[in-house]
Amino acid sequence: MVNKTLNYWDADFEDDVININVGGLRRRLSSSALSKFPNTRLGRLLLCDSEESILQLCDDYDVSAREFYFDRNPGFFLYVLHFYQTGKLHVMEELCVFSFCQEIEYWGINEFFLDSCCSYRYHERKLESRHYNWDDESEVSSVDTSPDEILDFNHDLLRYSTLRCGNLRKRLWLTMENPGYSIPSKLFSFVSISVVLVSIATMCIHSMSEYQVLDENDNLLDDPILHNLEYFCIAWFTFEVSSRLLLAPNLRKFFKHPLNLIDIVSVLPFYFTLLVEVTLGSDSELGNLGKVVQVFRLMIHLYCSLGATLKHSYREVGILLLYLAVGVSVFSGVAYTAEKEEDVGFDTIPACWWWGTVSMTTVGYGDVVPVTVAGKLAASGCILGGILVVALPITIIFNKFSHFYRRQKALEAAVRNSD
C-alpha cells in the first residue's frame, strides 16, 4: 500500500483534502480543519516529513490517493469528525467510559473539549466506574478465590485414588474435615465442639473454690468427676487429631495449617505431664497449658470467619482506626485543656488518650470523668463522634462477611459433589 516513489506532501497540500479510512469507513477532511487542532493525531499528520513519522500515527497510507488507514472503531470516528467540524466532542453512549477514554486518548483529543451536554454525565460515569472497580478489587480476594480453592481441594482428593481403601479414607476424611459434607459430618462436628465446651467448663469449674477438694495436708486434689471428664476430653482430642493425621491426603499441607498445629499442641501437654509424673513422680503445670490451648482452639474456630472478613476489609478497618485516632487526639487535647487543673485524672496527655479511647469506643469504664462544663461538652462530642465513626463501616464489613459466607457455602457444595 505504501508508495515510496512519491513525495509525501505537495506544496499546496495545506489547501487540499485528505482521505481518512477508519475500519472501512471513508471520509474526507480538509487540512485547514485539521490544522486547527495540531495536537491531535490527525493534526500531527500535517507535520510529518517522512514515512516513519507517518506510520507512527496511522496503520497504513497511500500517498497517491492521500488516504490514511486506521484500524479503530468506525462508529466512534463519526464523533471524531463532528469534533473537527464543530470543536465540540460528544460522548458515545454505546461505549463504556473507559473505552471512550481510550478512544479519545488514541485520537489525541482532550476531554476538555467535551460539550456541556455530555461533560457532567461523562465525569459522573467515570467516577461511578472508579468506585465500582475499587469495591470489586477489595472483594475479589474474598469472592473470586473459591474456584482456585475448589480446584486445589479436588486435586488433594485425587490422591486417594492411588491409596489402599482410598474411597473409604476419602469419605472418612471429608466427614471429619468438612461439616457440610453429610449428616454424619455435622454430628461429628457437633460432638467435637461439645467436647471442647466440656473441657473448658471443666477447667472453669476446677478453679472455683466450692468445687475444690483438699486432703489432710491442705493439698489440692482433683475432683473425681472432673478428673474423669478431663480424661474423656483428652481421649477424644487424641482420637480426632490422630485420625485426621492418618487420613489426611497431604501431610505437608496438614502440618502447615495453623488450626491443625493448635489441635496437636492442645493434646501434647497432657502426655508430657503424664510422662513427667510417671518418670519423676512430680506434678507439672503442662496440663494447665493444654487446657489454655483448648480455649485458644475454640476461639480460633469461632473467629476464623471474622478474621477472613477483616482480612478482606483492611481498607475499611484502616479508615476506621484512622478516624478513631484523629478523634482520640482531638478530644483528648480538649479534655486536657479543660480538666488539667481539676485533679480528676486528666493530668497528662497520655492519660487523656486513655479516656478518649474508652469514650470513643463507647466502653465508658467511668474511672476518669470530666467535671467542668467544657470537659463534659468535649466528652459528649467524643461519645457521639465515636458512635458515628464506629457505625459507618459496619455495613461494608457485613457485606464482606456475607461474601465470605457464600464462598464457604460454595466450597461445601463442591465437597458434597466431589463424589
Side-chain angles (χ1 to χ4, degrees):
M1 183 68 69
V2 178
N3 191 338
K4 298 183 179 181
T5 63
L6 299 176
N7 295 328
Y8 294 107
W9 305 118
D10 294 336
D12 59 346
F13 185 81
E14 293 186 356
D15 297 327
D16 211 335
V17 296
I18 61 174
N19 298 313
I20 305 297
N21 191 320
V22 179
L25 179 65
R26 192 169 183 267
R27 291 293 186 270
R28 303 181 70 184
L29 283 173
S30 65
S31 57
S32 59
L34 299 180
S35 62
K36 295 178 182 179
F37 306 97
N39 293 325
T40 62
R41 181 173 289 266
L42 297 182
R44 294 201 305 270
L45 279 175
L46 302 178
L47 305 177
C48 294
D49 56 0
S50 65
E51 176 188 347
E52 290 76 12
S53 60
I54 294 176
L55 291 178
Q56 287 179 358
L57 297 175
C58 65
D59 296 309
D60 206 349
Y61 74 99
D62 186 352
V63 174
S64 60
R66 288 177 180 171
E67 187 168 359
F68 299 86
Y69 299 89
F70 297 87
D71 188 14
R72 302 297 296 185
N73 187 342
F76 183 78
F77 183 61
L78 296 176
Y79 291 81
V80 177
L81 288 176
H82 186 269
F83 164 74
Y84 282 111
Q85 294 168 359
T86 63
K88 296 294 183 181
L89 181 66
H90 291 271
V91 174
M92 185 178 180
E93 296 292 342
E94 291 79 6
L95 289 180
C96 71
V97 64
F98 288 114
S99 295
F100 182 83
C101 290
Q102 291 174 354
E103 288 293 334
I104 63 175
E105 182 180 358
Y106 174 81
W107 293 108
I109 304 174
N110 197 295
E111 62 184 23
F112 172 78
F113 292 104
L114 280 169
D115 202 354
S116 57
C117 62
C118 298
S119 178
Y120 175 78
R121 184 169 71 255
Y122 165 76
H123 289 290
E124 185 180 24
R125 289 172 57 187
K126 192 174 182 180
L127 188 62
E128 289 176 356
S129 299
R130 285 178 178 175
H131 287 171
Y132 177 78
N133 289 341
W134 184 85
D135 290 337
D136 281 353
E137 182 184 354
S138 63
E139 293 170 1
V140 66
S141 57
S142 62
V143 180
D144 296 339
T145 53
S146 293
D148 295 335
E149 292 186 1
I150 294 172
L151 182 63
D152 188 44
F153 185 81
N154 290 332
H155 179 71
D156 287 339
L157 293 182
L158 291 176
R159 296 172 179 266
Y160 287 108
S161 60
T162 60
L163 301 177
R164 178 180 297 180
C165 302
N167 190 42
L168 177 62
R169 294 180 63 177
K170 182 179 72 172
R171 291 180 179 274
L172 291 176
W173 164 257
L174 293 175
T175 300
M176 301 182 69
E177 188 69 16
N178 195 292
Y181 175 64
S182 62
I183 295 179
S185 64
K186 294 179 180 179
L187 294 176
F188 182 85
S189 178
F190 174 77
V191 172
S192 180
I193 295 176
S194 300
V195 172
V196 173
L197 294 176
V198 170
S199 177
I200 295 173
T202 301
M203 181 180 62
C204 296
I205 294 174
H206 186 72
S207 65
M208 302 171 64
S209 58
E210 51 267 34
Y211 293 98
Q212 293 178 350
V213 180
L214 302 177
D215 59 8
E216 60 277 5
N217 298 322
D218 291 334
N219 295 322
L220 184 62
L221 299 177
D222 292 333
D223 183 89
I225 298 177
L226 299 179
H227 194 66
N228 293 331
L229 282 176
E230 181 181 359
Y231 279 173
F232 168 76
C233 294
I234 291 296
W236 173 265
F237 296 144
T238 304
F239 162 75
E240 182 181 355
V241 173
S242 58
S243 300
R244 292 173 60 245
L245 178 61
L246 293 175
L247 296 172
N250 191 330
L251 291 180
R252 184 176 62 178
K253 187 177 295 184
F254 179 87
F255 284 107
K256 284 185 177 181
H257 201 290
L259 294 181
N260 295 330
L261 296 179
I262 291 175
D263 290 341
I264 296 175
V265 172
S266 65
V267 173
L268 290 180
F270 172 81
Y271 293 101
F272 282 138
T273 303
L274 186 63
L275 180 63
V276 170
E277 291 178 353
V278 171
T279 56
L280 303 179
S282 59
D283 195 6
S284 175
E285 296 296 328
L286 290 177
N288 294 330
L289 175 61
K291 298 175 183 178
V292 173
V293 175
Q294 288 298 334
V295 179
F296 184 62
R297 177 176 185 257
L298 179 65
M299 297 294 289
I300 288 293
H301 282 284
L302 290 179
Y303 285 99
C304 180
S305 298
L306 179 60
T309 302
L310 295 180
K311 175 184 176 181
H312 301 300
S313 303
Y314 65 92
R315 291 185 179 92
E316 293 80 8
V317 175
I319 293 175
L320 171 62
L321 295 178
L322 176 62
Y323 287 164
L324 284 176
V326 172
V328 168
S329 300
V330 171
F331 290 110
S332 297
V334 175
Y336 173 75
T337 303
E339 302 288 336
K340 63 181 179 179
E341 304 294 338
E342 301 297 330
D343 194 21
V344 290
F346 294 87
D347 304 327
T348 62
I349 293 293
C352 294
W353 285 346
W354 164 252
W355 167 85
T357 303
V358 171
S359 299
M360 284 214 66
T361 55
T362 67
V363 175
Y365 288 121
D367 53 344
V368 180
V369 181
V371 294
T372 64
V373 175
K376 292 180 179 179
L377 290 176
S380 300
C382 185
I383 295 171
L384 294 176
I387 293 175
L388 294 176
V389 167
V390 173
L392 286 176
I394 293 301
T395 303
I396 300 176
I397 297 176
F398 175 76
N399 290 336
K400 297 296 178 65
F401 182 83
S402 300
H403 286 302
F404 177 77
Y405 178 78
R406 289 198 296 269
R407 165 184 145 182
Q408 292 300 107
K409 285 299 182 182
L411 187 59
E412 290 182 3
V415 171
R416 287 193 297 269
N417 296 329
S418 61
D419 293 336

